[in-house]
Amino acid sequence: MAAEPDGLTLRMLDHVEGRLAPTPLIFTPEERSAIDAHYAARKAANPALWNGRVLLLDAHRFEGRRLVADYAEADYAALLWLLANERAHPRLRVSFAMGALRGADGGFVLIRMAQWTANAGRIYFAAGTPDLTDLTPEGTVDLEGSVRRELTEETGLTAADITLAPGWTALHDARRLALLREVRAQEEAEALAARIRRFGAGDERPEFDEVLVVRGPQDLAEGMSPLIRRYLAQAWATQA
């Protein structure tokens, strides 16, 4: 499939298989030095950053409407370095699963990341890079479980509140591979937004500082990445 001017390629998928490499990633001494220096600078600017363990995409292939994704363990510092590096890595990508939350009336509900987070001011659906809690006993990466976990952690919504629509939307470029899954709620979008705001107000340190409802191109806002804009345009075009 051809990429759009924003560099993103969009694919509709029926199935995603996430697998874990048997050993963590090993970077060259030069890469490791650059990773550590970059993280030290980011940490100095934002002391709230935490260098936990995450899963990075080491290899992947599309087989028609199926994706096979091989992940390997690394630290969060490596993820930040990959995204900030002037040149895309020849092999590694940041990959994450994102739940595109949609109210019963069709409105999408997004959150604006709080100033203390690594993505301060950016507007996303609830999401996060897969980590060790997303691994199954069989050694696979449970990306659907990652969607549910992040949604609960960031919005307070549980499995009883939502239904995951079938299929995935993959958006990828030289640095990222995002996997979006529509998440359908029983409440209308404005009620959902109000509920999520109440959840955030009860959190000592919420990951978001605003909740937005979008129903069409007129609601697009500064802070929405090309990835989010592209997904929404596809969703609206499909329902038209």
Side-chain angles (χ1 to χ4, degrees):
M1 294 185 178
E4 291 292 315
D6 57 17
L8 288 167
T9 298
L10 184 148
R11 296 173 184 263
M12 306 303 294
L13 302 174
D14 295 325
H15 180 72
V16 175
E17 178 184 346
R19 309 185 301 193
L20 179 68
T23 58
L25 287 169
I26 299 176
F27 293 92
T28 67
E30 294 78 13
E31 288 176 331
R32 190 68 252 177
S33 177
I35 290 168
D36 292 341
H38 177 74
Y39 184 75
R42 293 289 297 267
K43 180 74 170 177
N46 183 359
L49 286 181
W50 178 65
N51 193 20
R53 306 300 292 177
V54 297
L55 303 179
L56 298 177
L57 189 66
D58 190 33
H60 71 282
R61 67 179 185 273
F62 292 101
E63 300 173 345
R65 291 175 64 94
R66 179 173 180 263
L67 167 67
V68 179
D70 293 326
Y71 291 87
E73 182 184 344
D75 58 356
Y76 188 64
L79 179 152
L80 293 176
W81 173 77
L82 283 174
L83 291 177
N85 208 2
E86 184 177 340
R87 294 184 178 180
H89 196 276
R91 187 182 80 256
L92 299 175
R93 283 178 171 82
V94 175
S95 179
F96 51 89
M98 181 178 285
L101 181 60
R102 197 167 200 178
D105 56 348
F108 285 101
V109 182
L110 299 95
I111 56 177
R112 186 178 67 194
M113 304 304 293
Q115 289 303 306
W116 65 268
T117 67
N119 294 304
R122 304 304 294 270
I123 298 170
Y124 292 116
F125 295 109
T129 303
D131 61 33
L132 302 184
T133 66
D134 296 314
L135 300 178
T136 70
E138 296 75 30
T140 62
V141 182
D142 183 5
L143 294 167
E144 181 177 309
S146 182
V147 167
R148 295 181 184 276
R149 176 177 60 80
E150 290 289 345
L151 194 68
T152 297
E153 290 178 0
E154 296 187 19
T155 71
L157 299 176
T158 67
D161 303 311
I162 59 164
T163 302
L164 270 61
W168 296 85
T169 301
L171 283 158
H172 58 102
D173 58 19
R175 297 177 184 273
R176 300 173 180 82
L177 194 160
L179 296 164
L180 288 91
R181 186 81 173 263
E182 184 174 312
V183 177
R184 299 169 181 168
Q186 301 169 13
E187 298 174 81
E188 294 189 350
E190 292 293 351
L192 272 177
R195 178 175 174 179
I196 294 168
R197 290 188 191 102
R198 290 193 297 272
F199 172 78
D203 193 336
E204 188 172 312
R205 199 181 201 191
E207 293 192 38
F208 62 88
D209 58 18
E210 184 53 284
V211 184
L212 298 89
V213 173
V214 298
R215 302 182 185 278
Q218 73 280 358
D219 295 324
L220 296 178
E222 184 178 354
M224 291 181 182
S225 68
L227 184 155
I228 293 296
R229 292 170 180 265
R230 184 78 181 282
Y231 175 82
L232 290 171
Q234 172 71 16
W236 291 326
T238 302
Q239 73 180 20

